Amino acid sequence: EPEVTQTPSHQVTQMGQEVILRCVPISNHLYFYWYRQILGQKVEFLVSFYNNEISEKSEIFDDQFSVERPDGSNFTLKIRSTKLEDSAMYFCASYPSGTGSYEQYFGPGTRLTVT
Amino acid sequence: SQQGEEDPQALSIQEGENATMNCSYKTSINNLQWYRQNSGRGLVHLILIRSNEREKHSGRLRVTLDTSKKSSSLLITASRAADTASYFCAQSEYGNKLVFGAGTILRVKS
């Protein structure tokens, strides 16, 4: 069964450094999302992406965040200058559209640790 | 404001018992979904109920939706140790983003 993959599974970085989290959504899906989950807290929406542009973003998704779909398969989240409070699990999700099912398919997550 | 709040926050039951988790939300929904998360892992979709549905079943799962009370419940029948996980409700708004609740941590003791 097709699945969403994410790399790396764990990223450790120093405060102020740039990180790129990578996701490969399911191939025929059209909507892509990033969510994050700070340890012990709820999963929070960051951004949605459709037709090569951001369709919605949350208040969390400020200027230090950006997303890109550089080719036909990858979907990336870049954090330009990481802060301690960016430490969290970051989940990528995708959704096919047009199927009548609103289920989103989540990747296993990337644990980002900012020191 | 908090949306999609679950209760209880934690639930511990014996294998074979039923587990009921509740979720409340504040805004209008297109549909409400339940997800499961094993410790440190990704989210797995369990079941979706549309705003015009009142009850839905999938295997040992039963979901109800009361739009007048803006609440939903997830019932897991005949629980197993493997059901131990966190369970989240997520309201789906137009635009398809999911707004998650805080989750219920379920522990099933064998």
Side-chain angles (χ1 to χ4, degrees), chain B residues 26-46:
Chain B
K26 289 184 168 60
T27 62
S28 297
I29 57 171
N30 177 282
N31 62 77
L32 190 132
Q33 303 181 34
W34 286 87
Y35 286 80
R36 166 193 166 129
Q37 184 182 34
N38 286 72
S39 180
R41 306 288 294 276
L43 293 144
V44 176
H45 181 265
L46 294 176

Side-chain angles (χ1 to χ4, degrees), chain A residues 93-106:
Chain A
S94 67
Y95 160 67
S97 182
T99 63
S101 166
Y102 296 93
E103 172 187 350
Q104 291 186 18
Y105 295 76
F106 282 79

Side-chain angles (χ1 to χ4, degrees), chain A residues 33 37 42 56 100 104, chain B residues 2 5 37 50 96-98:
Chain A
Y33 308 84
Q37 184 181 33
K42 64 174 67 176
E56 188 173 358
Q104 291 186 18
Chain B
Q2 298 291 330
E5 297 298 325
Q37 184 182 34
R50 298 176 191 274
N96 296 325
K97 75 176 184 186
L98 295 175

Side-chain angles (χ1 to χ4, degrees), chain B residues 13 17-21 32-37 44-49 54-64 72-80 82-88 106 108:
Chain B
I13 59 174
E17 293 180 339
N18 295 341
T20 299
M21 290 159 268
L32 190 132
Q33 303 181 34
W34 286 87
Y35 286 80
R36 166 193 166 129
Q37 184 182 34
V44 176
H45 181 265
L46 294 176
I47 193 166
L48 176 151
I49 187 164
R54 292 297 166 259
E55 187 171 313
K56 201 160 183 181
H57 297 253
S58 176
R60 294 186 295 113
L61 304 180
R62 175 181 158 232
V63 169
T64 62
S72 173
S73 68
L74 171 68
L75 168 68
I76 303 174
T77 60
S79 63
R80 305 165 182 167
D83 294 329
T84 295
S86 293
Y87 292 82
F88 297 89
L106 174 66
V108 182

Side-chain angles (χ1 to χ4, degrees), chain A residues 72-97:
Chain A
S73 59
N74 291 284
F75 179 50
T76 62
L77 174 68
K78 181 192 290 186
I79 309 175
R80 288 190 185 82
S81 178
T82 50
K83 305 171 187 170
L84 294 176
E85 54 264 38
D86 293 328
S87 294
M89 281 287 285
Y90 287 80
F91 295 105
C92 172
S94 67
Y95 160 67
S97 182

